[in-house]
Amino acid sequence: MKILVADDEPIMLKTIALKLKKDGHEVIATDNGREAIELIESEKPELVITDIMMPFASGLEIAGKVKQSASPVPVIILSSMGQENVVLEAFNLGADDFITKPFSPNELSVRVKRLMVPHAALHLT
Amino acid sequence: MILVCSLLVFMSIYSFRRHQFTTKRNWLKKCFADVVSDIILCESPEELEVAISKVDNNVKTALKFRYGRKVLLKEIIHTKANFTGHAADNLVWLYERWSFHQDSLARFASDKWHIKAKGIQQLAEMRQTRFLKRIYRDTDHPNALVRKEAQVAIVQLIGFEGLRFLRFIQYPLTQWQQLCLLHQLNEQDINVKSIEEWLRSANETVVEFALRLIEKYKCFTLQNLIIDLLNSPNQNIVSQAIQTLNEIADEDTATLLIPYFDMLAGIHQHELLQIIVNNIQPEQHSFLLDLSTSTDPLICNTALKALQKFHVQFIGKKQRTNTGVYLLPVPEKDVI
């Protein structure tokens, strides 16, 4: 599965990308929102994982763009404690799941797997 | 002219130095990102050893310099806050493996309060329980920020048990400090005896905090001690006692609070009445009847509303079974 990860913190970005690669996914990583939007259009990922606070374009803008596109894909939002209102806004924009920091990398794997199943079934039909 | 030129030169040098620092910091962060992300995802001690043996020379060199260590320590601590489980454990392992506790201890030993506070924060974040005694000594430090960090650190490290500093602290606990301590406490084993002891503390802010603990942990057995505090000359304690009573009230609370009603005044009296009304029992309807003629419109209104509710709940039921029951003068609409 081709996954786009957007996070402006280098360690977070590398860790998430590495974990997903270990799980057998193809990963496109970016540290800014504007580039993430460009990559969504050019690379056509099957899943987007984005942090909320991002330079140039926020995670919410990314989620909005993905869901407005002709072929929307699942979006997982990474949020911090106390950002519940923003998470609600993300769900309104169509986000499929959210993970609150602090989290375990294994939790991320499980969430990705959970989202992959219905999406794969949709593609098959 | 000379002044303007000097200013321009200064600004150029400053911008250049700043740019240099930013570039260096970003470069270091990128170097560290590979190592740290590798370490985070390790699943066993063997994997950790393999990952650390692969560390490149840039990182090894950076670790020999103060600035490099400072950047990496900051990154480790910041990253640890984003992870739980194995990932967080591995970061603590890395912190100890590269002796970053020495850097934190050096900060902790500083005479400058902000550096000392930072050191305490780092030791607590990286779960360094072996330095508990040293941190504990600063829980009553003259500097408010150092004191706050030490207290929060102790609770972060050993939980409720760490609150034993409440027994001896002389300095007040600010409202913010109390909230920070409560935030650190999870649903864990509490010691009601200790809370009871803190309720009798000479430090009034400790009493206030003990009341907050009772509210958080719902210590119903301490209700009588809280009611005694309604006599306190400290208005913050009275206010917190009322708030706590509201949280732990039961069917006996109204009976216990009625004698205190006339002792209080203003907003506290109104708040107490609300607790009484919420927990009123049939035998207390005469108290409400007395209050319904009060000159205070708020008290009168609350009493009448309660009587109306009371009538529906208790008298109404009784009336259906016993026609000789006394009918209360219930208004059809609120008086005010």
Side-chain angles (χ1 to χ4, degrees):
Chain A
M1 191 182 207
K2 194 192 262 190
I3 302 174
L4 177 95
V5 184
D7 198 316
D8 59 334
E9 290 176 38
I11 297 180
M12 286 300 290
L13 185 65
K14 287 237 171 173
T15 308
I16 296 171
L18 196 61
K19 178 68 186 166
L20 295 171
K21 275 180 192 165
K22 278 186 178 179
D23 290 345
H25 303 292
E26 185 188 336
V27 181
I28 311 150
T30 175
D31 61 0
N32 79 70
R34 196 191 298 144
E35 198 179 72
I37 292 169
E38 285 166 14
L39 285 166
I40 288 164
E41 283 160 13
S42 60
E43 296 287 332
K44 308 267 182 248
E46 294 160 86
L47 172 72
V48 175
I49 301 173
T50 175
D51 187 26
I52 287 181
M53 301 293 280
M54 297 268 290
F56 307 117
S58 74
L60 294 180
E61 285 174 74
I62 296 172
K65 285 269 178 200
V66 171
K67 293 299 172 181
Q68 281 164 17
S69 68
S71 51
V73 293
V75 177
I76 299 178
I77 297 281
L78 296 174
S79 72
S80 300
M81 296 273 263
Q83 287 184 322
E84 288 79 9
N85 286 340
V86 188
V87 170
L88 281 178
E89 206 182 326
F91 275 119
N92 283 334
L93 288 168
D96 297 80
D97 202 354
F98 78 97
I99 300 177
T100 308
K101 294 175 191 173
F103 66 94
S104 154
N106 290 334
E107 184 190 342
L108 178 76
S109 293
V110 173
R111 303 257 187 150
V112 169
K113 209 178 279 180
R114 200 175 61 98
L115 278 178
M116 269 166 62
V117 179
H119 192 68
L122 200 75
H123 271 264
L124 283 173
T125 53
Chain B
M1 187 66 186
I2 295 169
L3 194 70
V4 172
C5 287
S6 313
L7 196 67
L8 281 172
V9 169
F10 173 77
M11 281 170 68
S12 310
I13 294 172
Y14 178 78
S15 305
F16 177 70
R17 292 288 294 159
R18 200 180 152 80
H19 176 72
Q20 260 190 329
F21 261 106
T22 312
T23 313
K24 194 176 175 185
R25 193 178 61 230
N26 290 341
W27 178 76
L28 282 168
K29 275 186 178 181
K30 279 197 175 143
C31 291
F32 297 148
D34 287 328
V35 186
V36 178
S37 54
D38 262 349
I39 296 282
I40 288 172
L41 296 175
C42 289
E43 300 274 351
S44 67
E46 293 76 30
E47 279 185 40
L48 281 169
E49 289 300 335
V50 172
I52 204 127
S53 66
K54 284 185 196 164
V55 170
D56 70 23
N57 287 333
N58 284 335
V59 176
K60 281 180 187 164
T61 312
L63 280 171
K64 289 178 189 158
F65 296 99
R66 207 171 139 206
Y67 185 69
R69 290 186 72 84
K70 195 179 161 186
V71 174
L72 182 52
L73 177 56
K74 203 173 165 188
E75 287 298 295
I76 290 177
I77 289 173
H78 178 72
T79 309
K80 188 192 160 273
N82 289 332
F83 289 106
T84 56
H86 263 310
D89 294 344
N90 292 349
L91 287 167
V92 173
W93 179 87
L94 184 66
Y95 173 86
E96 288 171 355
R97 177 69 181 244
W98 279 344
S99 301
F100 279 120
H101 58 276
Q102 299 293 357
D103 300 53
S104 302
L105 281 175
R107 284 198 172 97
F108 182 31
S110 171
D111 291 333
K112 290 178 183 154
W113 62 267
H114 61 283
I115 299 176
K116 191 179 181 71
K118 189 82 189 161
I120 296 172
Q121 220 176 44
Q122 290 179 349
L123 290 169
E125 190 58 49
M126 301 317 279
R127 305 183 207 141
Q128 299 298 299
T129 37
R130 56 193 160 147
F131 304 116
L132 202 70
K133 274 189 184 174
R134 290 172 71 172
I135 300 172
Y136 196 78
R137 280 183 218 132
D138 282 333
T139 51
D140 206 26
H141 194 278
N143 182 281
L145 196 80
V146 172
R147 190 164 73 229
K148 174 191 167 277
E149 288 304 336
Q151 290 172 0
V152 168
I154 293 288
V155 176
Q156 200 176 342
L157 289 170
I158 55 170
F160 187 88
E161 202 195 328
L163 286 175
R164 61 177 190 265
F165 61 77
L166 293 174
R167 208 182 295 162
F168 67 84
I169 54 165
Q170 305 285 318
Y171 290 100
L173 284 171
T174 61
Q175 300 279 325
W176 173 241
Q177 171 68 349
Q178 291 183 32
L179 293 177
C180 289
L181 289 171
L182 284 174
H183 179 70
Q184 287 298 328
L185 290 164
N186 302 317
E187 299 305 318
Q188 49 197 312
D189 288 341
I190 60 154
N191 187 342
V192 180
K193 283 259 175 219
S194 297
I195 300 180
E196 198 178 325
E197 188 190 324
W198 302 330
L199 276 179
R200 298 190 179 98
S201 172
N203 185 335
E204 289 180 332
T205 56
V206 170
V207 178
E208 204 184 320
F209 181 64
L211 287 166
R212 286 183 198 265
L213 286 173
I214 296 169
E215 187 185 340
K216 179 179 170 94
Y217 293 111
K218 307 277 183 287
C219 306
F220 299 101
T221 54
L222 299 176
Q223 186 169 248
N224 286 327
L225 285 174
I226 306 168
I227 291 172
D228 288 345
L229 289 170
L230 294 175
N231 291 319
S232 170
N234 182 319
Q235 293 306 295
N236 287 343
I237 291 180
V238 176
S239 194
Q240 185 56 49
I242 293 170
Q243 195 179 316
T244 306
L245 282 167
N246 192 31
E247 289 297 317
I248 62 163
D250 57 22
E251 68 274 11
D252 298 327
T253 308
T255 314
L256 295 167
L257 291 184
I258 286 172
Y260 288 84
F261 180 76
D262 288 327
M263 292 181 200
L264 298 175
I267 183 80
H268 289 153
Q269 196 176 42
H270 294 148
E271 286 170 351
L272 196 76
L273 178 61
Q274 204 54 59
I275 304 176
I276 295 172
V277 160
N278 291 344
N279 299 282
I280 201 89
Q281 297 299 311
E283 58 273 22
Q284 282 129 16
H285 82 272
S286 57
F287 170 73
L288 292 177
L289 275 174
D290 291 344
L291 292 186
S292 64
T293 54
S294 168
T295 49
D296 182 328
L298 197 59
I299 289 178
C300 175
N301 191 30
T302 311
L304 285 171
K305 270 187 185 174
L307 279 169
Q308 190 175 25
K309 195 175 154 196
F310 186 78
H311 177 79
V312 173
Q313 277 184 347
F314 300 108
I315 311 294
K317 275 184 201 163
K318 217 170 175 184
Q319 201 177 20
R320 280 195 291 274
T321 55
N322 178 6
T323 47
V325 74
Y326 170 69
L327 285 173
L328 291 163
V330 183
E332 280 184 5
K333 284 184 180 172
D334 291 341
V335 172
I336 293 161

